[in-house]
Amino acid sequence: MNPTQRKIVSERAAEPVGAYPHARQVGNLLFLSGIGPRKRGSTAIPGVKMDEAGAVLDYDIVEEAQSVFRNIRFILEDAGSAWENIVDVTVFLTSIERDFKRFNEIYREHFGSIEPCRTTVEVNRLPTPIHVELKVIATIG
């Protein structure tokens, strides 16, 4: 690995679902992988109600978003950065029509004072039965 880079793996955030780290530091920038709402050590998804076969019955985008934000905070802190250092956010929602307004409300509560750049896109699905995922860039050091 290049000496100006380091891989970040948080012991508090949910484990990645693929072959990638939670984040990578390059110089004074920290690039977080897509972060979802699961809790470490569990496959349960906060805010998601599923039937016995694993099909989603309903979900609460606010509860999912709060869990995503918690995972992001863990990763930032474990890397030596902070929430206030976030400069760019990409939001992936599986239903903009259903969730955009409520997501914006909770987003504003958490990000309003730091106002990072943001892009929001709707995606057909995410790798697990989640409904929101964030990709973040922050400064560090």
Side-chain angles (χ1 to χ4, degrees):
M1 183 182 307
N2 184 324
T4 63
Q5 294 186 28
R6 76 177 170 122
K7 177 175 74 170
I8 310 298
V9 178
S10 171
E11 296 299 321
R12 298 185 295 159
E15 300 87 343
V17 296
Y20 51 85
H22 285 119
R24 182 169 298 281
Q25 179 183 350
V26 180
N28 70 335
L29 293 176
L30 187 64
F31 299 87
L32 275 65
S33 297
I35 305 300
R38 288 180 305 104
K39 291 185 178 181
R40 184 161 196 86
S42 174
T43 58
I45 303 166
V48 177
K49 294 179 181 130
M50 299 170 77
D51 67 16
E52 299 81 29
V56 174
L57 299 172
D58 196 15
Y59 65 93
D60 180 343
I61 195 66
V62 172
E63 192 173 343
E64 280 193 58
Q66 288 174 330
S67 190
V68 171
F69 300 160
R70 185 173 31 258
N71 280 328
I72 290 169
R73 282 184 189 274
F74 288 156
I75 295 164
L76 291 170
E77 291 168 3
D78 292 351
S81 187
W83 188 261
E84 296 75 23
N85 294 350
I86 296 173
V87 295
D88 189 67
V89 178
T90 303
V91 179
F92 301 95
L93 294 173
T94 59
S95 177
I96 284 183
E97 184 175 344
R98 173 182 165 161
D99 299 324
F100 190 75
K101 183 178 181 197
R102 289 186 70 213
F103 177 81
N104 263 343
E105 291 166 0
I106 192 75
Y107 182 93
R108 188 174 293 114
E109 289 176 23
H110 289 266
F111 287 93
S113 63
I114 60 173
E115 296 183 320
C117 294
R118 176 176 138 189
T119 302
T120 302
V121 296
E122 182 178 74
V123 295
N124 187 33
R125 62 183 295 209
L126 292 159
T128 59
I130 63 176
H131 305 89
V132 60
E133 181 174 282
L134 271 65
K135 180 155 180 49
V136 171
I137 300 172
T139 59
I140 186 170

